[in-house]
Amino acid sequence: MYLSRFRINTARPGARRLLSSPQSLHAAVMSSFPHLLPTAPGGPGTPSEGPRVLWRLDHNASAEVFLYVVSPDRPDLTHLVEQAGWPAAAAADPDNPGWQTRPYATFLDRLAQDTTWAFRLTANPVHHIRRKDDEPTKRTAHLTPVHQMAWLLERQERCGFRICEKPDNKRLLPGGTTHNKAVHHGDRYELIVRDQRNLSFAKSRSDSTPGRRPVTLVAVTFDGRLHVTDPDLLRRTLTQGLGKAKAYGCGLMTLAPLPTADERSQ
C-alpha cells in the first residue's frame, strides 16, 4: 500500500477543470496506474472488497489544494504534474517529480489498540428513507452537521475506532445536551464538520443523453480525534474507505499523530 500527496496548481486551466468535475478527477487518478483499464465509477473492475484506490481533496486555502491517494500500487502522477502541477519545476529537479509517495503498509502494521490519533475524513453521509409506506426506500443525503456527525458515530465501532469525547470542562452545554435533552454531538465529541459541498455532474464525461439525470451528492469533511478499538478493522477502513461515493473523492480517512504537550504550548 502507498500514500501519495500531490499539490494542485490552482492557477492552471487544467487544474480548474479537474477540480470542477469529480468524474474527471477520478479518471485522472485511475490513469496513474498503468495496469488498470479505465472503468466508470462502480462499474466492472471496481473492487468491492480488499484494498482499493481511494482519493481525497483537501482545500486548506484557495491556493493550497492537496490531492491524497491511497493505493495498492505506487502511482505515476506525471500526467497530473503536466496538467495541474508545476512541470517546469519538476523537470528541473529529478529528485522531486512533483508529488510525494510513501509506503503505507509499515504505518498500517504499527497501528495498535488503545492509541489515539487525529484524523480527517471526507465522506458522503446518507440514509435511506421512504415518504409513503408503499414506495421503495430512497438514498438521501444528511444535510445538517448534527445528523452528519450522527452518521459517523453510528459507524465508528464497526470501523475499528471510537471518536474521543470532550472533557466536561471543555463542553459549552452541560453533559453535551441541548435544552430539550437531545444529544448535541457537536459539543460532546472531539469532532467538527466542515466544507460541505453539494456536487452535481454527469456520470460519464461523454454522456450527453437528453433527460439523463446527473449524479448529485453531498460531501463533507470531518476533522477530529479517535481512539483505536480494533486495529484490524481500522486498517480495513483506511484501505477500503468509509461510506458511499468512493470513486468521487469520498471515503478516504487519514491519521496523524497528536501534537505533544510542548508543541501545544508553543
Side-chain angles (χ1 to χ4, degrees):
M1 296 297 298
Y2 294 90
L3 173 64
S4 302
R5 186 181 73 168
F6 172 76
R7 184 181 174 190
I8 295 177
N9 184 350
T10 57
R12 303 198 67 182
R16 292 195 289 270
R17 284 194 295 270
L18 290 174
L19 293 175
S20 67
S21 170
Q23 169 68 31
S24 296
L25 192 48
H26 166 80
V29 169
M30 299 307 290
S31 296
S32 304
F33 305 95
H35 67 285
L36 291 181
L37 295 176
T39 60
T46 302
S48 58
E49 296 293 337
R52 58 180 294 160
V53 177
L54 301 169
W55 61 272
R56 184 184 78 214
L57 285 175
D58 281 9
H59 296 260
N60 298 332
S62 59
E64 187 179 72
V65 180
F66 287 97
L67 170 67
Y68 287 88
V69 180
V70 165
S71 57
D73 302 304
R74 182 183 290 272
D76 181 351
L77 303 181
T78 304
H79 61 297
L80 279 175
V81 175
E82 295 169 348
Q83 186 176 0
W86 285 265
D93 184 0
D95 295 328
N96 181 11
W99 72 92
Q100 300 82 44
T101 295
R102 299 287 184 269
Y104 201 33
T106 303
F107 169 77
L108 295 173
D109 291 341
R110 290 204 312 265
L111 285 176
Q113 191 168 353
D114 297 328
T115 54
T116 304
W117 300 83
F119 78 89
R120 176 168 291 176
L121 165 71
T122 293
N124 169 227
V126 296
H127 61 140
H128 291 82
I129 62 172
R130 59 163 55 95
R131 296 179 181 177
K132 300 178 181 178
D133 292 339
D134 59 347
E135 70 178 13
T137 58
K138 180 181 179 181
R139 185 186 298 174
T140 305
H142 286 299
L143 298 178
T144 66
V146 169
H147 288 100
Q148 290 160 351
M149 287 183 180
W151 174 89
L152 182 58
L153 292 166
E154 290 169 358
R155 288 155 177 78
Q156 58 180 343
E157 290 296 342
R158 64 176 180 265
C159 290
F161 63 89
R162 185 176 66 252
I163 305 294
C164 298
E165 296 193 22
K166 296 179 181 179
D168 288 341
N169 61 359
K170 291 188 177 181
R171 299 182 185 182
L172 299 177
L173 301 172
T177 60
T178 62
H179 66 280
N180 63 356
K181 305 303 181 182
V183 174
H184 192 288
H185 302 300
D187 194 44
R188 180 178 176 184
Y189 293 95
E190 297 275 4
L191 179 65
I192 62 172
V193 181
R194 61 180 182 84
D195 292 347
Q196 177 168 314
R197 297 180 296 282
N198 300 310
L199 306 175
S200 180
F201 50 92
K203 188 170 184 179
S204 171
R205 290 175 295 172
S206 61
D207 188 357
S208 58
T209 304
R212 178 69 60 87
R213 289 187 177 182
V215 176
T216 59
L217 61 91
V218 173
V220 299
T221 296
F222 298 94
D223 283 332
R225 298 185 178 190
L226 62 77
H227 192 74
V228 181
T229 57
D230 188 318
D232 289 334
L233 288 178
L234 182 55
R235 291 186 194 101
R236 179 177 177 177
T237 300
L238 296 175
T239 56
Q240 293 186 20
L242 200 167
K244 303 293 185 180
K246 297 182 182 70
Y248 301 122
C250 297
L252 174 56
M253 173 184 280
T254 52
L255 307 182
L258 295 174
T260 64
D262 292 340
E263 291 171 336
R264 289 194 297 268
S265 63
Q266 293 179 354

